[in-house]
Amino acid sequence: MMTSPNAPRHRLMWRIYALVWLAYAVFLAVADQLDNVSGGRFDLPRFALTIVSLIPSALLLALVWPLTGWLERREYSLPRILSIHIAAAIAFAVLAQGPFWSIFKAGKPLSWYIWPLLYHAMTYLLGAGIFHLIRAGEKAHRQALAMKDAQNLVIASELSALRNKLNPHFLFNTLHSIIALTQRNPAAAETALFQFSDMLRYVLDTERSGSDRVTLDQELDFVRDYLELEQLRLGQRLHVDWDLDEDAGDHPLPALSLQPLVENSIKHAFNPHTRPGILQIRTRRDATTGALTITVRDTGPGADPASIASAPGLGLRTIERRLQLDYGSRAAMRVQSAPGAGFSVSLTIPAVREESFA
């Protein structure tokens, strides 16, 4: 049996409803006894009778809750809803006042009948207004949740599209490196293919898991495999400097966040040149905020900011967009470079320890 998501809220509403009516009944019963109390008397049966006589009103007004739900589902116009409530208010006033008319003797002046009817009608309209406000709040809440779900679906779709862009991009570039290696060193190319199979398993595992979250240690192991493959091709030209924070290894981050940064340096700082260079990979976790900073820096030729902004490359732009979608303003990507001064990219990823990852 399914339970409505609003059930706990409705239980609380009815508890408040019962308490309000009880407080109201006690207040009227006490007010009715003021003359007796000032004379040193207290009529307990009359006190109890006043409270009990309000029970029909409380039960009748509770029926307005399903009525407001029915009106909401029918989507009547406002004038029609008001006319229905006015008719219901008159009926409620007559039915609610009936116990008093049966208890007390007739023969009272007309005002003795009219004012209580108006009073009960106003009570009905007030209750109906409150019930409509509660339903309007619930409807607004449902619409907000629906909008949030739709927005999350759009974000998830875009993230999936970005990841699907990165995977073929990585596969194509890596296979291209292996093909280039087969022409010069077939034995090394065979080793590279085995290395590539391990890397491919990492990519496929993140696809199968349904989540692209991995730990920093898992991403670093993947990057090590990638760099070992590139080392077979580049030889002594590639020197890697690892500067890692050992306490940050369990930090979650999107898969293939670090590898494209490393690949970018390989492509621009090492592929076009025969001179050796240094590639530094640095990780740090902020002790105060728990945020992770990953920096990839190379000693290549660098570039001016204008050419970086207009570059057609996919990797950096895709990583930045994934961070925006995943973390909003809490994440950041910073690029520092200048002609002849190397190239540096830093990612800041906030601490989100409750996320599950592959």
Side-chain angles (χ1 to χ4, degrees), residues 260-299:
L261 307 184
V262 174
E263 182 179 333
N264 185 72
S265 286
I266 296 292
K267 178 180 178 180
H268 296 286
F270 295 91
N271 282 351
H273 309 285
T274 57
R275 63 177 183 274
I278 298 174
L279 175 68
Q280 184 188 55
I281 300 174
R282 185 176 186 268
T283 63
R284 287 292 184 273
R285 174 183 277 168
D286 189 288
T288 303
T289 65
L292 172 68
T293 300
I294 304 173
T295 303
V296 176
R297 182 181 294 110
D298 62 60
T299 57

Side-chain angles (χ1 to χ4, degrees), residues 3-20:
T3 303
S4 168
N6 289 322
R9 197 178 309 173
H10 291 169
R11 284 195 293 270
L12 176 61
M13 178 189 74
W14 289 120
R15 290 193 189 102
I16 294 173
Y17 180 85
L19 288 173
V20 168

Side-chain angles (χ1 to χ4, degrees), residues 49 52-54 56-57 60 93-104:
L49 181 61
V52 171
S53 65
L54 287 171
S57 298
L60 283 171
V94 172
L95 291 172
Q97 189 62 20
F100 288 94
W101 289 340
S102 63
I103 292 171
F104 298 101

